[in-house]
Each structure stands twice: as structure tokens, then as C-alpha cells.
Amino acid sequence: MSKHHHNAPLPDTVLRVKALESLLIEKGLVDPEALDELIDTYETKVGPRNGAAVVARAWCDDNYKQRLLTDASAAIGELGFSGRQGEDMVVLENTPDVHNMVVCTLCSCYPWPVLGLPPVWYKSAPYRARAVIEPRAVLAEFGVTLDDDVEIRVWDSTAEIRYLVLPMRPTGSDDLDEHALSGLVTRDSMIGVGLPQAPVQQNR
Amino acid sequence: MNAPDLSLLPDMRRDDAGPVFAEPWQAQAFALAVRLSENGHFTWPEWADYLAHEIAAARRAGTLDLGDTYYEHWLRALERIVTDKQILTTRALEERKRCWDEAARHTEHGKPIELADNQ
């Protein structure tokens, strides 16, 4: 064994990011503390719970729901969530006749302020392509089967417009308060590839 | 658009909420692009164009692109946009990358990797 145990070479991606980061910091174009704060935000603070709060509010407060459907960015801002890229939010309401589903066919635009960063499958080529071509088959793979007479609308996100699906309130949830309702809202239901959880039946 | 490849079905399975970033470099690349845009060096729609271009190029090159290579596309888009916008030169990036490589190889295991001098 030699006296010095040197590090194994770093992977190419790591070296390239270190090169970018160190040069940009030296030029004063990015602030290292701001980078750390941003990473922490997306790792720990922003996620689908934000969107669930929006959905639960809309289920409980019809006035809020109307504001959400007419000016989603402002209504979402009421709960303290706002976008960083100046994007416009649009909320799509599911009804017994229409089911909405969201994709980004070109890259992976996603409503960060309400859902955090996208899951791996959302960023995959099969989802990007197939959500548009055969949404019903994709939904089936996610465990969602809709009646044939339900129209499926697929919405393609862009850098400027991000969509959030407002799922239907589950049956049997009439007694639940807003907080309990938000616990039923899944990330996938707000992308439109899932449904909210059913409320747990209380034994009386 | 290619016909859907049914052999890819199992790879599109839903993931349970795993870590947001699989490795630290992904988080760093993510944050650099967002901060540069917020600081006015490019607009977010411009960024989306660069990213979409890299993703399309990877698909043309025949990669499966199952979402796990997303930040590799992101990193290439970042390198292209900062050089196209003349924020950094390709040469500076290559030189600096070499410096980090040297530093890593000559750092004793367990010690932080640092560059010898300011470049």
C-alpha cells in the first residue's frame, strides 16, 4: 500500500459542472449562497404539498376555485406560492366528462411552484411521446381507467405556460376539512395521470 | 415522430417520490441555469429552447432517454448557452475542467479538492 491514497478521478459531468460553477462565481455572475439556497428550496421546501393545498382550498371554497380557474397565478400566489421564471399558471378542472393530463413534449416544463421538480418518468421520452399519441393507454399504466365517454385532453406545457390539474373531489369526503382533504391529493392526480386517494372509511 | 416503442413500457413506471436530484452535480447544474436566468443572462424561454434542442439531439442519436439522463442534457444546454452568449469561452471551460481533474487526482483521499491557485 502506498502512503498516499489519492482520490479516484472525478466523473466527466462533475468536472464540467465544477468548471462552470467556479468560473461563474469568480466572475461574480452567480452567488454561491444563492445557489445553495436555491438547491435547498427545491430539495426540501417546494413540492407537491403546495399543489395539494391549492386543490384542497378549491374543493372547500367555491370563490377561491373560481379565482383559480380564471387567474391561476394570482390565486396560487394567495397561498404564498409563486414562480421564478415569470411563467403563467393555468389550472385545468377535471369533470365527470373531461379528464385533463399534462405533458411537456419538448423538454420538461413543469409547474415548479406547486409541484416541485418533475419525477423521472415525466422527463422520459416514452412519456413525452405517448401521452399525446395514446393517453388512454398511458393512463391505464398508471392504474387509471376512465369510461370511454370521458374525453381526455392532453395539454403541452411550455416555458411560458404551466398547467396544474384540479382533480375531482373524491366521493365520501364531505366530512373532511381542508387539511385532511389535502392529504388525499397526490402529485400524479395534479399531473392528470392519477386520481386523488379515496378517504379512509371511519368505523362508526 | 417515431411509433411508440412498447418495449419501453416498463421503464415508464411511476416512481415514488425519490430524491429530487440523484447526484450533487445535478443540483449544481440546475441551480446555475436558474440563477443565470434570474440574473438576466438569458430568458427562461431561451433556456427551454436550448434544453429542448439537447433532448432532441439525444433522441436523434438513438438514446433511450428515459428521464435519468435529463441532467446530462441540462448540462450540455448550460455549456452551450454560456458559450453562445459569450459569458464564458469553451477554452476557459476546458482549461478549468483540466485543473479540477488535476487537483482531484493529486488530492489525498478524504481531503477537500481545491484548485492550487486562482486561475
Side-chain angles (χ1 to χ4, degrees), chain A residues 58 61-71 75 93:
Chain A
D61 179 343
D62 211 46
N63 287 326
Y64 181 75
K65 180 177 144 184
Q66 291 315 315
R67 293 201 296 283
L68 188 63
L69 294 175
T70 47
D71 184 351
E93 185 185 16

Side-chain angles (χ1 to χ4, degrees), chain B residues 14-90:
Chain B
R14 49 189 301 166
D15 55 349
D16 290 305
V20 173
F21 302 106
E23 295 177 44
W25 69 266
Q26 299 178 351
Q28 286 147 4
F30 168 79
L32 287 171
V34 173
R35 288 299 296 162
L36 284 174
S37 175
E38 287 177 353
N39 290 345
H41 295 287
F42 44 80
T43 66
W44 203 251
E46 272 182 294
W47 168 255
D49 281 346
Y50 272 79
L51 182 57
H53 176 91
E54 291 302 329
I55 290 170
R59 287 295 283 161
R60 279 196 304 275
T63 64
L64 291 180
D65 194 21
L66 297 176
D68 51 345
T69 49
Y70 179 69
Y71 283 104
E72 290 169 30
H73 310 320
W74 185 286
L75 175 55
R76 266 194 303 279
L78 182 57
E79 288 169 334
R80 270 189 52 242
I81 203 167
V82 298
T83 48
D84 283 1
K85 297 270 177 190
Q86 299 180 332
I87 298 167
L88 299 173
T89 64
T90 308

Side-chain angles (χ1 to χ4, degrees), chain A residues 5-7 12 16 18 22 26 29 84-85 119-121 123-125 128 130 141 162 187-188, chain B residues 9 14-15 20 31 35 38-39 44-45 55 59 65-66 70 79 87 96-97 100 104-105 107 109:
Chain A
H5 302 281
H6 288 156
N7 282 322
D12 186 65
R16 285 157 62 203
K18 279 176 130 3
S22 58
E26 277 166 29
L29 299 177
R84 302 180 77 112
Q85 280 85 37
V120 169
W121 55 260
K123 300 177 287 196
S124 73
R128 292 200 311 269
R130 296 183 53 232
E141 281 159 41
R162 315 287 173 91
R187 176 195 66 199
D188 289 0
Chain B
L9 290 190
R14 49 189 301 166
D15 55 349
V20 173
R35 288 299 296 162
E38 287 177 353
N39 290 345
W44 203 251
I55 290 170
R59 287 295 283 161
D65 194 21
L66 297 176
Y70 179 69
E79 288 169 334
I87 298 167
R96 180 57 60 92
K97 182 184 154 192
W100 279 113
R105 289 169 196 273
T107 301
H109 186 66

Side-chain angles (χ1 to χ4, degrees), chain A residues 10-30:
Chain A
L10 294 176
D12 186 65
T13 47
V14 172
L15 293 171
R16 285 157 62 203
V17 172
K18 279 176 130 3
L20 279 161
E21 186 178 37
S22 58
L23 286 168
L24 291 168
I25 288 172
E26 277 166 29
K27 282 177 163 266
L29 299 177
V30 292

